[in-house]
Amino acid sequence: METAARSTSSSCNGDNIIAWFDHVAANAALVQTQTLRRILQLNFGAEYLRKWLANIGDIEDIDPNALESLYSSLVPLANHSDLEPYIQRIADGDSSPLLTQQPIDKLSLSSGTTDGRQKFVPFTRHSSQTTLQIFRLAAAYRSRVYPIKEGGRILEFIYSSKQFKTKGGLTVGTATTHYFASEEFKIKQQKTKSFTCSPDEVISSGDYKQSTYCHLLLGLFFSGDVEFITSTFAYSIVQALTSFEELWKELCVDIRTGKLSSRITIPRTREAVLDIISPNPTLAMKIEALCKELEDEDWFGLIPKLWPNAKHVYSIMTGSMQPYLKKLRHYGGGDQLPLVSADYGSTESWIGVNVDPSSPPERVTFAVIPTFSYFEFIPLYNTLSKEYGATSAAADDFIEGEPVPLSQVQIGQRYEIVLTTFTGLYRYRLGDVVEVAGFHRNTPKLNFICRRKLILTVNIDKNTEKDLQLVVERGCQILSKARAELVDFTSHANVARQPGHYVIYWEIKGDVAEPVLRECCREMDAAFVDHGYIVSRRTNSIGPLELCILERGTFRKILDHFIGNGAALSQFKTPRCTSNEVLLKILNHGTIKRFHSTAYCN
Ligand code: AMP
């Protein structure tokens, strides 16, 4: 009876939030004007805005119909570097209104997706409120397709990073870390208390290896109750389950005895986990038997076998996470378990929600939430690609149009996203390229295409993360025929000697004969469709592609390097191209074989 009542009330809440979203989506244009007005009202006196809006006496005096065009004509488009001096002053303790009227006391570290350079971004209460809101909205959509049993649990591979203080006393951490420490996260945990396997002491242990072990242990301890498995980015799930392949015997000992491995050394984490677990020899025996079978099957179907009641896996699987899909599907037992791609956002602002959880990750779109920020879209016309029939999305191939508001975007058109946020970013170029796939009511549904920033270039060639991903996929087709798999990859444009050339680094699982790897190298060199690359290769102004095979564990070292610099596993994304000296040192040190594609025949 009680369960039925709770179930009805939670589905009611779900229906309420969907009804709210449908309403704002239907009125997206008006809601965007209101959102812009609200942001400007709240922050009108801030120094950065005063610089551009000096001649405006009061936001209230502006005709609502003219607000957006006036704003975009007076305030220029900005990059992170334009705002950096203000953010630096905030970090140094200047509490005057610089970007926002209210003082900012937290800064987030965004991952600096491609070059590994982390950026500071303001974090406010609004940031955690919108995180909770999108979490609830996405959960409501998912529960329509994959209903969750009341009293069930979630196995969440989530991690806080270490926080530190700036010179001016502001707390710095990743956005997810601030969220995990916020009131909103507590609300989420309390309202869905029975759903979470790991307590806060595990999430915030500060040591991702110890957290992963405890997440796995508690996930197994409650295995019969786990309703779904999740992480912020798909990488974390793959990382955790790969560790499981090595840790399962030790985990089984802990389950059998109710004790905790000596590898968990953080006292409050130990205590919290020991409070939860108790000896369960029957469960340990069952898991051991399953793992022995799974080991022989290369861990295919690990998730449904160990968590038989899991209904789906939920995580960001698009963009730079796409290369992990294959491994996730492997762990999910092929089609046995649906993979639901999670929502689209950044440290700067949440952007869109997946309203169609049953669509496969390759086709997922994100409906923009018009209350979260004020969004503009810079149209990108890709003339070169059309002319040469190529699919390259590289930055300089684009001719930019004038930014348009959300209400004027066109289906099929690609855009760069521009944000005006409640946290004090004004007409801020996010650097993501999206394509409008359709509309939910009147708000656009976006396909994530890639980071705009050019990643691989030697001279006139231009290749993005997406271009590289497609090339690596071609090489991988040969690899899978040889029964090996790609663990992770990155690249580097080596211009130290003439002619410059591309280097692709691969960490692989399985033994592969050298002729096969040589063929992979040749295949990848020929797979770049960028016209600049093709021409340069033909004239040898770009040298043969180099494929470096890394010893196992090299990408783990890269992860450790980032974590040591304050990144959190929850937000980690392997840089797909790097010129960072430290990373190159790790990569070159870990290289065990090198191949050069010789003849170029494209
Ligand atoms: P960070 O602020 O460090 O967490 O990184 C944010 C960036 O991650 C975004 O600007 C995107 O490039 C990428 N990202 C976030 N969500 C998604 C998603 N659902 N699909 C693809 N890429 C995403």
Side-chain angles (χ1 to χ4, degrees):
M1 183 68 194
E2 198 214 334
T3 307
R6 277 167 59 192
S7 171
T8 313
S9 95
S10 75
S11 89
C12 251
N13 286 340
D15 288 346
N16 287 348
I17 196 159
I18 289 178
W20 164 81
F21 182 58
D22 280 346
H23 176 73
V24 293
N27 299 290
L30 176 66
V31 172
Q32 276 283 273
T33 314
Q34 289 166 346
T35 302
L36 177 61
R37 176 173 286 268
R38 189 81 195 114
I39 293 171
L40 296 179
Q41 275 167 345
L42 285 173
N43 297 320
F44 195 54
E47 188 176 316
Y48 183 81
L49 271 184
R50 273 210 318 271
K51 185 165 136 189
W52 307 109
L53 304 180
N55 293 332
I56 294 183
D58 194 343
I59 292 293
E60 304 307 323
D61 298 341
I62 302 171
D63 171 4
N65 297 321
L67 181 69
E68 286 169 89
S69 54
L70 189 69
Y71 173 69
S72 56
S73 67
L74 293 177
V75 179
L77 291 172
N79 288 310
H80 190 268
S81 56
D82 298 310
L83 297 171
E84 230 158 17
Y86 294 84
I87 298 179
Q88 194 54 53
R89 281 167 63 194
I90 294 170
D92 291 344
D94 186 340
S95 58
S96 62
L98 292 174
L99 293 173
T100 54
Q101 195 66 45
Q102 289 291 320
I104 285 164
D105 62 355
K106 289 189 187 65
L107 293 173
S108 295
L109 276 172
S110 89
S111 61
T113 315
T114 46
D115 58 7
R117 199 176 76 90
Q118 295 185 312
K119 297 177 289 184
F120 283 162
V121 176
F123 184 96
T124 65
R125 185 84 197 269
H126 185 268
S127 318
S128 33
Q129 284 168 341
T130 49
T131 305
L132 178 59
Q133 207 171 348
I134 197 166
F135 168 85
R136 286 182 162 154
L137 182 59
Y141 278 110
R142 261 177 302 130
S143 70
R144 283 184 167 181
V145 188
Y146 309 107
I148 297 303
K149 202 178 89 195
E150 283 290 330
R153 287 179 182 270
I154 315 170
L155 172 51
E156 291 189 273
F157 293 104
I158 50 176
Y159 306 82
S160 293
S161 67
K162 291 204 171 79
Q163 291 181 314
F164 61 90
K165 294 272 182 199
T166 63
K167 193 171 114 191
L170 278 82
T171 310
V172 179
T174 57
T176 40
T177 304
H178 290 322
Y179 173 62
F180 297 146
S182 73
E183 275 309 304
E184 283 67 27
F185 185 66
K186 284 196 194 98
I187 296 171
K188 182 225 144 193
Q189 293 297 69
Q190 280 155 11
K191 289 255 163 121
T192 56
K193 198 173 172 194
S194 53
F195 288 123
T196 304
C197 289
S198 295
D200 180 54
E201 291 82 350
V202 169
I203 300 163
S204 64
S205 85
D207 176 325
Y208 82 89
K209 289 178 188 151
Q210 297 196 32
S211 296
T212 300
Y213 186 91
C214 297
H215 282 319
L216 287 166
L217 178 63
L218 295 167
L220 289 171
F221 189 75
F222 295 113
S223 50
D225 299 330
V226 168
E227 289 285 306
F228 70 96
I229 296 180
T230 185
S231 67
T232 312
F233 287 96
Y235 172 83
S236 309
I237 301 181
V238 170
Q239 185 273 340
L241 297 182
T242 310
S243 309
F244 177 81
E245 293 181 20
E246 291 155 25
L247 294 170
W248 65 273
K249 288 189 182 134
E250 205 172 321
L251 288 160
C252 285
V253 172
D254 287 357
I255 293 172
R256 188 168 57 243
T257 58
K259 295 187 178 144
L260 187 56
S261 158
S262 59
R263 68 170 73 228
I264 309 303
T265 55
I266 300 158
R268 64 186 200 101
T269 307
R270 276 193 78 81
E271 226 169 89
V273 175
L274 282 167
D275 263 359
I276 299 172
I277 59 170
S278 54
N280 191 338
T282 320
L283 178 64
M285 235 161 63
K286 192 172 138 200
I287 296 173
E288 249 159 17
L290 288 172
C291 286
K292 279 180 192 146
E293 278 172 30
L294 281 163
E295 215 173 18
D296 291 340
E297 290 155 14
D298 193 23
W299 304 96
F300 181 81
L302 181 160
I303 302 176
K305 274 227 167 109
L306 294 181
W307 292 283
N309 295 317
K311 312 288 187 299
H312 64 281
V313 175
Y314 177 60
S315 189
I316 293 175
M317 297 169 191
T318 32
S320 64
M321 294 298 128
Q322 213 165 324
Y324 306 112
L325 263 179
K326 195 168 170 208
K327 190 72 180 173
L328 263 188
R329 290 209 164 99
H330 181 84
Y331 284 136
D335 293 336
Q336 283 181 58
L337 200 63
L339 301 183
V340 183
S341 197
D343 311 297
Y344 173 33
S346 63
T347 301
E348 289 84 348
S349 170
W350 279 106
I351 297 164
V353 60
N354 176 2
V355 294
D356 184 10
S358 56
S359 66
E362 288 84 351
R363 289 214 301 273
V364 72
T365 59
F366 306 100
V368 177
I369 304 180
T371 55
F372 279 7
S373 287
Y374 177 68
F375 300 97
E376 290 171 85
F377 297 83
I378 303 175
L380 303 170
Y381 304 104
N382 196 348
T383 49
L384 254 188
S385 298
K386 271 186 203 135
E387 195 177 335
Y388 294 103
T391 54
S392 168
D396 291 355
D397 281 2
F398 289 127
I399 293 172
E400 288 182 4
E402 280 300 306
V404 295
L406 175 149
S407 54
Q408 285 174 30
V409 297
Q410 308 277 334
I411 293 180
Q413 175 65 49
R414 288 188 176 184
Y415 299 92
E416 181 187 340
I417 293 193
V418 176
L419 300 168
T420 295
T421 70
F422 283 89
T423 56
L425 307 176
Y426 304 97
R427 307 200 78 214
Y428 174 99
R429 299 178 77 137
L430 185 60
D432 283 353
V433 179
V434 295
E435 186 173 295
V436 176
F439 286 88
H440 175 78
R441 312 279 160 151
N442 291 313
T443 200
K445 290 208 284 188
L446 309 175
N447 238 318
F448 180 88
I449 304 296
C450 62
R451 293 288 296 174
R452 179 153 183 199
K453 194 164 179 237
L454 182 66
I455 65 163
L456 270 174
T457 182
V458 165
N459 46 51
I460 57 161
D461 52 307
K462 302 162 194 87
N463 283 290
T464 63
E465 189 167 348
K466 182 82 187 168
D467 299 324
L468 175 68
Q469 203 173 300
L470 294 172
V471 163
V472 169
E473 270 168 27
R474 286 275 292 276
C476 277
Q477 286 167 7
I478 300 174
L479 206 57
S480 11
K481 281 187 207 139
R483 303 195 154 272
E485 75 181 72
L486 186 65
V487 174
D488 222 331
F489 68 95
T490 189
S491 67
H492 170 61
N494 185 337
V495 287
R497 253 186 277 145
Q498 287 303 321
H501 69 287
Y502 291 1
V503 187
I504 296 183
Y505 295 91
W506 270 9
E507 182 175 327
I508 49 184
K509 187 177 168 195
D511 289 328
V512 188
E514 292 199 358
V516 176
L517 291 170
R518 203 160 285 124
E519 198 191 331
C520 292
C521 182
R522 256 198 315 269
E523 178 74 18
M524 289 197 285
D525 198 9
F528 283 98
V529 292
D530 166 55
H531 185 67
Y533 188 78
I534 295 172
V535 169
S536 302
R537 281 292 288 122
R538 277 187 195 143
T539 54
N540 206 34
S541 47
I542 293 184
L545 182 102
E546 182 178 347
L547 171 64
C548 293
I549 305 299
L550 301 168
E551 70 184 349
R552 289 299 304 276
T554 305
F555 278 98
R556 215 26 106 74
K557 287 188 188 146
I558 290 178
L559 171 67
D560 288 340
H561 166 73
F562 274 92
I563 302 274
N565 282 348
L569 186 57
S570 277
Q571 264 172 270
F572 180 75
K573 304 167 200 73
T574 298
R576 296 297 177 209
C577 178
T578 188
S579 47
N580 176 313
E581 296 283 322
V582 184
L583 292 200
L584 286 175
K585 215 165 152 189
I586 301 174
L587 290 164
N588 289 326
H589 194 252
T591 298
I592 46 178
K593 279 180 197 156
R594 281 176 202 274
F595 301 91
H596 289 89
S597 89
T598 42
Y600 185 75
C601 46
N602 198 333

